[in-house]
Amino acid sequence: MSALGVALRSALAAAADPDRAPAMQAYMKSEMPYRGIAAPDMRAISKRVFAEHPLASCDEWQAAVLELWRGARFREERYAAIELLADRRHRDCRSPDVLPMFEELITTGAWWDYVDEMAHHVGNLLRTHPEQMRPVMRAWSTDKNLWKRRVSIICQVSFKKDTDLELLYANIEPNLTERNFFIRKAIGWALRSYAWTNPKEVARYVAANEARLSGLSRREAIKNIAKG
């Protein structure tokens, strides 16, 4: 185990609140236990440890992320792995070359708290490397893994006017008849987010696809439009 890994796990253990942990685990329906640490405290601990144990290269950074992720015994350790993945000191390391690592965290995490955070980082890659990432997101939209499909749909939720609408609709299309809650919710969320920018277009899309959109997706999509 690396010095960073030892230090982080020790710091998280020292901050543990066993009284909070069971409720956190129950809320997230997690098989992996919690330490009982609130998210702001987990982030503060992570930032301190990362600063005290700098990583010299992108290879070291990727190895440290995977060590924390794969060796985690408590959910906060995996949250910390994602914090390290996002650390500003390693922004130049986040390129399409590390997409296999992103994919591992998404498919082995396989729950919304991990996956939705990873979708943000996948979205950043899409922003900075659109030519490489667009075909990847198209492929993910039909993947057998539902969490990769969810990411392909929600990776642009913060894009606003920069949303690649053609890509969004293309990634929604093969999932319109999906019965899984997390896919239906993703479709509604993605459309709702874009509705802040172009409510008329989202209203048009919902009307044109009313027979195929699930009730959940439709209700979520028009929330912002109804408020307007």
Side-chain angles (χ1 to χ4, degrees):
M1 190 183 300
S2 67
L4 185 152
V6 171
L8 181 66
R9 289 178 180 142
S10 296
L12 292 174
D17 184 346
D19 292 335
R20 290 170 52 96
M24 295 172 71
Q25 184 175 357
Y27 171 77
M28 198 53 66
K29 301 178 181 177
S30 173
E31 293 184 5
M32 184 179 289
Y34 275 81
R35 286 289 192 187
I37 305 171
D41 295 332
M42 178 278 300
R43 294 189 186 102
I45 291 168
S46 297
K47 288 178 181 179
R48 174 175 57 79
V49 172
F50 299 159
E52 292 171 351
H53 297 272
L55 302 168
S57 68
C58 290
D59 286 343
E60 285 190 19
W61 164 76
Q62 185 167 354
V65 171
L66 290 174
E67 177 194 341
L68 292 175
W69 183 267
R70 293 170 179 171
R73 294 187 297 114
F74 295 89
R75 208 166 184 90
E76 289 93 343
E77 292 170 7
R78 284 194 158 180
Y79 295 151
I82 296 176
E83 288 296 311
L84 180 57
L85 181 148
D87 190 276
R88 60 180 176 77
R89 285 173 284 252
H90 309 291
R91 57 182 175 271
D92 292 340
C93 299
R94 294 188 288 273
S95 74
D97 291 341
V98 298
L99 192 58
M101 178 174 71
F102 285 23
E103 187 174 354
E104 177 177 337
L105 271 57
I106 290 164
T107 57
T108 60
W111 200 239
W112 65 266
D113 56 336
Y114 297 140
V115 170
D116 292 2
E117 185 65 26
M118 289 304 304
H120 171 73
H121 299 300
V122 172
N124 286 340
L125 287 183
L126 178 62
R127 279 185 187 272
T128 53
H129 303 276
E131 295 303 317
Q132 291 171 265
M133 290 299 297
R134 285 185 87 258
V136 175
M137 291 300 95
R138 289 293 298 116
W140 282 23
S141 73
T142 58
D143 197 275
K144 63 181 180 180
N145 185 282
L146 76 90
W147 299 107
K148 289 170 68 175
R149 297 204 307 276
R150 180 174 169 93
V151 169
S152 78
I153 295 166
I154 66 172
C155 63
Q156 298 190 77
V157 292
S158 65
F159 282 27
K160 299 181 180 179
K161 65 181 179 60
D162 296 325
T163 299
D164 183 335
L165 199 57
E166 180 182 353
L167 179 63
L168 174 61
Y169 288 164
N171 289 353
I172 288 174
E173 179 65 28
N175 293 285
L176 279 172
T177 59
E178 172 63 60
R179 300 184 62 83
N180 181 273
F181 168 84
F182 290 103
I183 296 298
R184 291 182 173 190
K185 187 78 169 181
I187 292 170
W189 181 14
L191 293 171
R192 184 179 79 239
S193 294
Y194 187 63
W196 286 115
T197 297
N198 193 340
K200 290 183 178 179
E201 170 55 26
V202 173
R204 182 207 65 77
Y205 179 85
V206 169
N209 293 278
E210 188 169 4
R212 297 192 298 157
L213 280 166
S214 71
L216 172 61
S217 297
R218 186 168 57 252
R219 288 191 300 273
E220 288 290 319
I222 65 175
K223 276 183 178 179
N224 295 342
I225 298 172
K227 289 179 181 178

